[in-house]
Amino acid sequence: MAASIESLLQEISGVEDPTEELQSLKLALLSIPVSALRDAVSGQRFNVIFSLLDSNQREQVELCVDILERILKALSPASLAQNYRVELQGGLTHPNETVKILALTQIGRILEHPDAATEILNNHDILQAVIQCIGEEKMAVAKQAIQSLSKLSHSKPGLDKLFQSDLLKVMKDVMATSDIIRYRIYELVVEISSVSPISLGYCANSSFISQLIGELTGDDVLIRATAIEMVTTLAHSQHGRQYLAQQGIMDKISNMIRGADTDPFSSLYLPGLVKFFGNLAIMDSPQQVCETYPAFQNKVFEMALDPDPAMIGVALDTLGLLGSTVEGKQVLQKTGEKFKAVLLRMSQLASSGATELRVRSLDAISQLLTLQPEQQTEDLLALTESWFRLLSNQPMDMIQNISSQPFPELHCGAMRIFTAIGTQPWGQKLMISTPSFMEFVLDRSAGQTKEAKDAKFELVGSLVSSSTAAEILGSQHYIRLKTYLREGPYYVSAVASVSTEGAD
């Protein structure tokens, strides 16, 4: 196979229009298993393919990119750095975006490999060109440049090169191009900062992070909204959260929530502020976050009762997130009547209105009602049961009615609520005492989409895995549920098939 690749390369270099030969080479490479590809291409020189990228013929360029993608992936990072460094550098300034992305991807591979990375770290021009790709018009090129440069965060030499050489000035010059490009540099900085406390230190010392934090309270509300997203990403790591706390950012964001009432444009950035604290609560402690920053919890309840769908949606997602943990459930329960009013609103939203909000409401309710077997203490079971009963006078009928509506996403959302209560003894008692509910569970003809079948299978699985189900539901139902589980989500009985044929 190596011989045929070599002869094809010779043919390509000897013809004026190599399209046909390039297609043959592409097919030859595709026919080689990935495991054997490295042996087939090692020792070959593919410079001729790189040289053919210098063409106005789009088809020729795209064929060369396809070929090079397959070949270069098979080569080791060290081999790439030694043999194709100059060609990859040329690709960074090519007019075609797919060539740029190819070059950036392979440079990223080299930077990930400590021994090979030295070749790139010693080449200022390559790294400068990669940084300049962040300023490219095409988002896909910029994204790949960010991804490849973020690999520098894994070593001290990489961090030194990016933040302690004149590449820092290159980054700041690119950053000054426009608001959009500035945020791409912030994206790179946040990505690097998230890796370790050391990489965060480099970013902080170069003043990027203080600049980003300054944007939180800038005059442009759209920029403010983007800044809060970036800061939220920074808070995903523990060292990131510690840094933000030391800088007083949590208090700053809490004050922004308080001040939002007097800002007519706050609806543009308020959802981001709430999401920031929602993520913080899940990663640290719901109780601590809600007690330290009461403005957050009050605002979530306020947004849930707001008429604006954008506000309601974020409130629903945040309530679901908080309520997915035992501590979060207890925090919400402590607010008494306030949370009851919110739960009632969630029930109304789940029953009628825009489909998207109905789905988000059903998902939040299912998170609030979920209790893992090891969490099922008497107090917590009483809590989830009281919440379920607050949804409606007849909550089982209400959720079953939603599940029977002709919208797959509503059906699945309703089924997730039944799955949540299906692991809890009080939920099983409600199921067995609701007329024909077990027949509804075991009926394979309801819900014909793959998602609906999967959702039903989840429900059956949650019932079968519960230690109390056999006793509460009765052995006859339990055996039928186990059979359903054994047969899998997509089983069709032979009898059902015959009767359907007859009906035709």
Side-chain angles (χ1 to χ4, degrees):
M1 186 52 80
S4 66
I5 289 173
E6 192 174 351
S7 63
L8 280 167
L9 286 169
Q10 284 169 356
E11 283 174 37
I12 287 165
S13 55
V15 292
E16 201 169 315
D17 178 8
T19 308
E20 210 173 300
E21 287 77 7
L22 286 169
Q23 281 168 337
S24 301
L25 177 57
K26 181 182 170 180
L27 289 171
L29 289 165
L30 285 169
S31 68
I32 303 169
V34 176
S35 55
L37 199 55
R38 181 173 289 192
D39 289 339
V41 299
S42 61
Q44 307 280 0
R45 297 293 291 155
F46 291 94
N47 306 65
V48 63
I49 308 296
F50 276 104
S51 70
L52 290 172
L53 289 169
D54 190 15
S55 164
N56 297 323
Q57 301 296 317
R58 189 167 181 84
E59 187 188 0
Q60 178 176 311
V61 171
E62 284 174 359
L63 273 170
C64 290
V65 168
D66 289 345
I67 289 165
L68 288 168
E69 260 179 1
R70 189 139 177 92
I71 292 162
L72 300 181
K73 212 182 283 181
L75 297 175
S76 70
S79 171
L80 272 177
Q82 284 159 15
N83 299 317
Y84 297 109
R85 192 176 63 249
V86 174
E87 286 80 359
L88 291 174
Q89 184 175 345
L92 295 173
T93 51
H94 195 281
N96 185 306
E97 68 172 298
T98 58
V99 178
K100 282 194 180 98
I101 291 169
L102 171 72
L104 287 164
T105 305
Q106 298 308 322
I107 289 167
R109 281 185 63 215
I110 296 169
L111 289 173
E112 238 173 340
H113 194 279
D115 298 334
T118 311
E119 297 273 359
I120 301 289
L121 292 178
N122 292 336
N123 191 317
H124 176 276
D125 292 345
I126 288 186
L127 288 171
Q128 180 171 332
V130 174
I131 293 168
Q132 283 164 341
C133 282
I134 296 177
E136 281 286 326
E137 188 186 342
K138 299 283 187 186
M139 190 61 194
V141 174
K143 282 274 183 205
Q144 191 55 59
I146 291 167
Q147 207 178 322
S148 296
L149 280 168
S150 68
K151 307 283 193 285
L152 290 169
S153 61
H154 295 281
S155 72
K156 188 178 184 302
L159 289 164
D160 285 342
K161 188 72 184 173
L162 197 55
F163 292 105
Q164 295 183 352
S165 74
D166 54 356
L167 288 177
L168 183 61
K169 184 182 181 307
V170 175
M171 273 205 284
K172 292 191 172 176
D173 288 346
V174 169
M175 197 177 193
T177 314
S178 70
D179 288 345
I180 290 172
I181 309 301
R182 184 162 82 257
Y183 270 87
R184 289 181 187 170
I185 296 285
Y186 285 145
E187 194 180 324
L188 170 65
V189 166
V190 168
E191 183 91 15
I192 289 173
S193 299
S194 301
V195 172
S196 69
I198 293 167
S199 63
L200 171 62
Y202 276 87
C203 295
N205 293 337
S206 62
S207 79
F208 283 120
I209 296 182
S210 55
Q211 192 178 338
L212 170 61
I213 287 166
E215 309 244 17
L216 283 175
T217 47
D219 294 334
D220 188 324
V221 287
L222 291 174
I223 285 181
R224 207 182 286 184
T226 313
I228 188 64
E229 271 182 46
M230 297 280 178
V231 172
T232 301
T233 307
L234 190 56
H236 284 166
S237 65
Q238 194 180 357
H239 61 271
R241 291 197 293 283
Q242 280 175 342
Y243 174 84
L244 293 170
Q246 286 160 5
Q247 302 297 311
I249 301 311
M250 280 63 162
D251 294 321
K252 187 180 230 178
I253 292 174
S254 178
N255 289 334
M256 286 172 74
I257 290 177
R258 280 202 185 89
D261 294 339
T262 55
D263 182 353
F265 298 107
S266 64
S267 63
L268 294 167
Y269 61 83
L270 190 56
L273 302 178
V274 167
K275 280 182 192 171
F276 172 82
F277 276 118
N279 281 299
L280 202 63
I282 288 305
M283 286 180 283
D284 282 348
S285 149
Q287 186 178 343
Q288 194 183 333
V289 169
C290 291
E291 284 177 3
T292 313
Y293 309 103
F296 157 62
Q297 189 175 305
N298 294 335
K299 186 54 76 177
V300 173
F301 286 175
E302 201 182 294
M303 286 165 75
L305 304 171
D306 195 292
D308 180 351
M311 295 294 158
I312 301 167
V314 172
L316 291 172
D317 297 348
T318 307
L319 287 162
L321 201 59
L322 282 174
S324 64
T325 66
V326 166
E327 194 180 308
K329 286 176 170 60
Q330 290 164 334
V331 167
L332 294 170
Q333 178 73 344
K334 263 188 210 167
T335 65
E337 294 303 316
K338 277 186 182 177
F339 182 63
K340 282 183 184 174
V342 167
L343 203 51
L344 205 60
R345 180 75 200 279
M346 290 168 82
S347 167
Q348 291 161 356
L349 289 164
S351 300
S352 60
T355 304
E356 192 211 345
L357 280 184
R358 293 182 71 184
V359 171
R360 283 165 91 169
S361 195
L362 290 167
D363 282 347
I365 292 167
S366 70
Q367 285 177 292
L368 288 165
L369 295 173
T370 298
L371 270 183
Q372 300 306 325
E374 66 278 7
Q375 299 167 340
Q376 292 180 13
T377 63
E378 203 175 314
D379 286 353
L380 286 168
L381 286 167
L383 181 149
T384 51
E385 182 176 5
S386 71
W387 285 358
F388 186 71
R389 291 186 185 278
L390 277 172
L391 295 174
S392 150
N393 292 334
Q394 299 292 334
M396 290 295 287
D397 292 347
M398 172 195 147
I399 305 299
Q400 206 170 344
N401 286 340
I402 295 170
S403 79
S404 64
Q405 289 172 18
F407 299 100
E409 58 270 52
L410 289 178
H411 173 81
C412 294
M415 295 307 281
R416 280 192 286 274
I417 292 178
F418 286 139
T419 302
I421 69 169
T423 63
Q424 301 171 56
W426 63 262
Q428 293 160 11
K429 285 173 186 167
L430 278 176
M431 288 177 178
I432 199 68
S433 63
T434 300
S436 67
F437 185 81
M438 292 312 295
E439 280 64 36
F440 159 75
V441 174
L442 291 158
D443 178 10
R444 286 189 180 269
S445 67
Q448 287 303 300
T449 65
K450 179 187 181 296
E451 291 76 16
K453 289 176 188 293
D454 289 341
K456 175 73 73 76
F457 192 68
E458 283 276 313
L459 168 57
V460 171
S462 79
L463 289 167
V464 170
S465 66
S466 166
S467 60
T468 55
E471 186 187 339
I472 294 172
L473 301 175
S475 57
Q476 198 178 350
H477 284 132
Y478 190 71
I479 289 164
R480 288 177 69 195
L481 287 166
K482 283 183 81 170
T483 304
Y484 190 117
L485 198 67
R486 191 178 63 249
E487 289 169 345
Y490 317 117
Y491 176 77
V492 180
S493 73
V495 176
S497 306
V498 171
S499 64
T500 308
E501 283 169 23
D504 288 341

